[in-house]
Amino acid sequence: MKRSSQTMLLRHALNLCLVLLCGFILLLAASSARAQDAVSREYQIKAAYLYNFAKFVDWPQESFTDGQSPLVIGVFGQNPFGTGLEAIAKAHQINGRPIVVKTITTAKDIAGVHLLFLGSAEDDHVAEILSALAGTSVLTVGESDKFMAAGGMVNFVREADKVRFAINEDAVEHHGMKISAQLLKLATFVRKSTLQ
Amino acid sequence: MASVITATALSSTAADTSTNTPATALADLSVEQLMNESVTSVAKRKTKLNESPAAVAVITQEDIRRLGITSIPDALRLVPGVDVAQINSHEWSVSVRGFVNEFANKLLVLVDGRSIYDNGFGGVLWYAQDLPIEDIDRIEVIRGPGASLWGANAVNGVINIITKSAKDTQGALVSVEGGTLDQPSTTIRYGGTLATNLYYRAYAKVLNSDGLVTSGGQSAPDRTLEARAGGRIDWDPTDADKFTLQGDFYRARLVENLDDYSIAAPYYRNYNAVDYDAGGNILGRWAHDFSDTQSISLQTYYDRFTDEQAEAIGKQTTFDIDVQHRFALGGRNEITWGLGYRDTTTDYSPSDFVSWSSTTAHDHLYSCFLQDEISIIRNRLKLTLGSKLEHNDYTGFEVEPSGRLLWTPTERQSVWAAISRAIRTPSWSEMHADTTLGVVPASQSPSGQELVFKSMGNPDLESESLIAYELGYRIEASKHVSFDIAAYYNQYDGVLDYGPLAYSPNPSQPYSQFSTTEENMTTGDTFGAEFSAHWDVTDHWHLTANYAWLNMRFPSHSIAYHSGPEHQAQLRSTLDLPCNLELNGAASFVDRVDASTLTGEVDIPSYVRLDVGLVWHATKNLELGVWGQNLAEDHHAEYTSYKTALITEIPRSVMGRITWHF
């Protein structure tokens, strides 16, 4: 058990250095992997919300060709969800309908879309896009004050570190859709004119 | 690193990224649940208990609060298969699947990733872990070996005590509790924000216990007075980074009854010794998420304490550093690996009846582990293979592998099986303490010399080892009813036991000595099962039933004293009443156990604990609670101490608590 304490100390110091060195190499290796940093948690939550919203909205019958035709979720412009939304679509159905995710680049691609997400990156032409949707039954979901001001329907709002949402019920009904009372109850804010 | 290590394989917080991307996992949540998901919380969604290939149970802050629990050992009574036996007001035997002992040594316990296993005497100094009970977020209990991740001494189980983030303890809290057993004990805590995403809390706590009772119902001498203070800072500068800095220190004055044998007259004394103990620790941790499938954490801590056992003083200083990295490899593998180094300095001083063959040590422990979680059939069949490899200065290299298979035939049920190896390294006192067990005065001795009975330390001890076979099944029978059953067969080898008493008529000494030495001489096995059922009768009424069965087959008589109760059962109820009232209660049965003291064998009869409490949320910020505890019997014994023949019992008591948040 008795060993030269000096050599032992040296050996332990070397071993400790080795452990630390390995740790640093590991850190470096890991940081290089950062490039593929995936979608932020916020957009994972928002993707899950989009799927949930679709469950709580009744579209007019003419929005679908038949009972099995897919429910189409459109993402305007840049897709902030990564592959998250596609993964949800692949794994789930809504009332027996498959879910299809479509990337939309111009207003004319919107035909056939049931739910359209407009990221804050599109803020500059949000009014333009929304006005192009007049007379259609597309549930619009956005994430900015501008979106709501321009007549958007469901708007994500951040409350501290949580994602909540506001609903413009007037706009939803004006476009011929019905949103369930259950979802309305959970919204942080509902715009609904009392004059009917 | 607690939650991170925990996150790897076994426990309820295990990350599950290989089979589910987080987005799809989130899609299974309801809108209400999504509304409460934090965008800053790490992407590791808590895996349902259903997905752990081990016998895992979680005690929440809510369980602790409702049942008027004041100490961590008492909280552990809520888990089936954990045997908590109180020895006096500051000592408990906490064991899992057998081997009850004042220094129950086959269990690893961590507080926020810091090991609180005492290498000096083996086991955990429970009195030194008297954290403000309100600061505990949850306690994760893994029954069965966890050595492939946690290393040596995680033989029969691992307990992770996890405190709240400073972010969750903002504002002020004053909590005062007292009753027929205790003088008022007070906790004061304050939490605030230093800058955006930079939170802190600080606390101070004083515990003042009058002690329990003797078997005659008289007041026992085991007084406890303890003061502690500490704090924690949490900084989340980005969504992907978390920094934690935390620390505690305490001083305790403990009174314990001692049977003291010495070679000189008066040979035997029984008296109440006063122990002064102190300790403190500081821990820093950085956790970083590179992506949903890759994370790293770095943790380091410094811990020192002084512990007095039978007037022999042990001092231990520990420095520990760990790094751990988790990443997905291909679509099916999730790899976790880590490196660790621990430096421990120990220093012992003798007392009348304990002397040391070696008093100081400077030990180094190097460890690494690798684990692969392989998704064989996506969402259905998962295999976890891993091993720890460590090197310590006494028993050299130790390998602790495990293999765990989880089959999830449906989302509501799962079957798991595991084979693992674990080891326990000998403690310093087992290797070096020479303890006087008894003295026969010369006047009564046939040889005309004093006769001394001693147990001698054995520096050549090897590790005890275990091969464990486990099997479990869980089912969510309906939205409101769930069952969990785990069974095990454990084979132990090289378990320490006392060798034959050797007589050495010692002409050079003025006395004759009989001595025994602990050796790795015993082999044996244990088997048993634990069952737990949970029923949400209504939204406001919840029932939990637990049952544990344990069977130990060891040829040794001395190990029989440490076997533990064959049957344990518990029924718990929590009920919300109108007018902001809660009625909560628990009834527990613990089977008889064999125990021993220095003077002989003791039969500890079976007992029933009955606790009932009423909690009133007077306002949003003020909570008042009153509990009747151990109502079933006047007093009952739970276990013995090796230091005294005096058995301290737990009496019926009433306790009240006022908690004010502002």
Side-chain angles (χ1 to χ4, degrees), chain A residues 12 26 37 41 44 161, chain B residues 37-39 290 292 337 366:
Chain A
H12 288 305
L26 170 80
D37 205 347
R41 173 100 181 145
Q44 288 166 8
D161 62 338
Chain B
E37 282 292 317
S38 163
V39 297
F290 296 104
D292 299 333
W337 66 285
Y366 303 94

Side-chain angles (χ1 to χ4, degrees), chain B residues 261-300:
Chain B
Y261 292 93
S262 57
I263 293 159
Y267 305 109
Y268 168 76
R269 286 189 301 153
N270 178 281
Y271 64 103
N272 296 327
V274 181
D275 295 345
Y276 292 93
D277 299 295
N281 65 80
I282 183 159
L283 177 143
R285 186 187 313 117
W286 170 51
H288 177 77
D289 292 328
F290 296 104
S291 68
D292 299 333
T293 55
Q294 182 171 196
S295 64
I296 191 166
S297 70
L298 182 71
Q299 174 184 283
T300 181

Side-chain angles (χ1 to χ4, degrees), chain A residues 159-174:
Chain A
E159 285 184 3
D161 62 338
K162 308 281 195 305
V163 181
R164 305 279 164 85
F165 57 94
I167 298 176
N168 181 345
E169 198 187 351
D170 285 345
V172 177
E173 286 182 353
H174 184 74

Side-chain angles (χ1 to χ4, degrees), chain A residues 80-151:
Chain A
F81 305 108
T83 55
L85 200 54
E86 272 92 350
I88 293 175
K90 226 179 279 171
H92 295 86
Q93 292 201 331
I94 290 174
N95 300 326
R97 297 177 189 284
I99 309 168
V100 171
V101 178
K102 229 172 117 179
T103 305
I104 311 289
T105 41
T106 62
K108 64 176 190 323
D109 295 342
I110 295 171
V113 169
H114 299 97
L115 189 157
L116 180 69
F117 178 77
L118 290 157
S120 51
E122 311 300 324
D123 264 6
D124 289 345
H125 26 271
V126 66
E128 206 181 308
I129 299 162
L130 288 178
S131 61
L133 292 174
T136 65
S137 291
V138 178
L139 184 84
T140 53
V141 181
E143 52 177 0
S144 68
D145 293 344
K146 244 178 156 171
F147 167 83
M148 206 55 166

Side-chain angles (χ1 to χ4, degrees), chain B residues 166-167 169-171 190-201 234:
Chain B
K167 193 174 165 180
T169 53
Q170 297 284 293
Y190 186 77
T193 307
L194 292 167
T196 316
N197 297 323
L198 180 60
Y199 308 91
Y200 74 93
R201 74 159 170 261
D234 284 282

Side-chain angles (χ1 to χ4, degrees), chain B residues 66-142:
Chain B
R66 279 180 177 260
L67 291 164
I69 287 166
T70 56
S71 70
I72 292 168
D74 280 340
L76 294 168
R77 292 181 198 269
L78 304 182
V79 178
V82 177
D83 177 34
V84 178
Q86 187 163 9
I87 295 166
N88 58 41
S89 71
H90 49 262
E91 288 181 311
W92 286 263
S93 157
V94 176
S95 58
V96 174
R97 296 180 173 175
F99 299 98
V100 181
N101 195 337
E102 189 168 359
F103 299 107
N105 54 28
K106 291 176 183 56
L107 182 67
L108 189 66
V109 185
L110 302 116
V111 175
D112 291 324
R114 174 176 55 89
S115 170
I116 55 171
Y117 188 90
D118 171 10
N119 290 311
F121 294 95
V124 172
L125 305 170
W126 288 105
Y127 73 83
Q129 322 304 333
D130 187 47
L131 301 167
I133 206 86
E134 295 84 359
D135 284 358
I136 293 172
D137 182 67
R138 63 187 190 280
I139 303 173
E140 298 175 348
V141 180
I142 297 155

Side-chain angles (χ1 to χ4, degrees), chain B residues 481-502:
Chain B
V481 181
S482 58
F483 300 98
D484 186 341
I485 184 160
Y488 58 92
Y489 174 67
N490 287 350
Q491 275 183 320
Y492 297 86
D493 195 21
V495 176
L496 298 196
D497 199 359
Y498 288 106
L501 204 60

Side-chain angles (χ1 to χ4, degrees), chain A residues 1 3 8-9 11-13 15-16 19-20 22-23 26-27 30-31 33-34 36-42 44-45 47-49 51-53 55-56 84-85 87-88 91-92 158 160-165 182-183 186-188, chain B residues 21-24 26-32 34-45 167 238-241 286 288-292 294 296 298 319 321 323-325 337 339-341 362 364 366 391 393-394 459-460:
Chain A
M1 199 66 66
R3 280 162 280 195
M8 279 305 285
L9 197 68
R11 232 187 70 199
H12 288 305
N15 283 346
L16 177 61
V19 168
L20 289 176
C22 287
L26 170 80
L27 270 180
S31 356
R34 211 188 166 158
Q36 341 149 1
D37 205 347
V39 180
S40 79
R41 173 100 181 145
E42 179 171 351
Q44 288 166 8
I45 294 174
Y49 265 120
Y51 160 68
N52 265 287
F53 290 157
K55 291 197 283 193
F56 288 100
L85 200 54
I88 293 175
H92 295 86
R158 273 285 286 271
D161 62 338
K162 308 281 195 305
V163 181
R164 305 279 164 85
F165 57 94
Q182 214 182 328
L183 192 64
L186 295 171
T188 48
Chain B
T21 69
T24 52
L26 284 165
D28 294 332
L29 301 182
S30 68
V31 175
E32 287 96 325
L34 282 173
M35 291 173 70
N36 289 314
E37 282 292 317
S38 163
V39 297
T40 54
S41 77
V42 281
K44 298 180 216 80
R45 187 176 70 86
K167 193 174 165 180
T238 69
D239 284 0
D241 290 283
W286 170 51
H288 177 77
D289 292 328
F290 296 104
S291 68
D292 299 333
Q294 182 171 196
I296 191 166
L298 182 71
F319 166 74
I321 182 161
V323 59
Q324 188 178 312
H325 179 212
W337 66 285
L339 295 171
Y341 169 72
H362 186 188
H364 308 269
Y366 303 94
H391 182 270
D393 294 348
Y394 303 102
D460 299 324

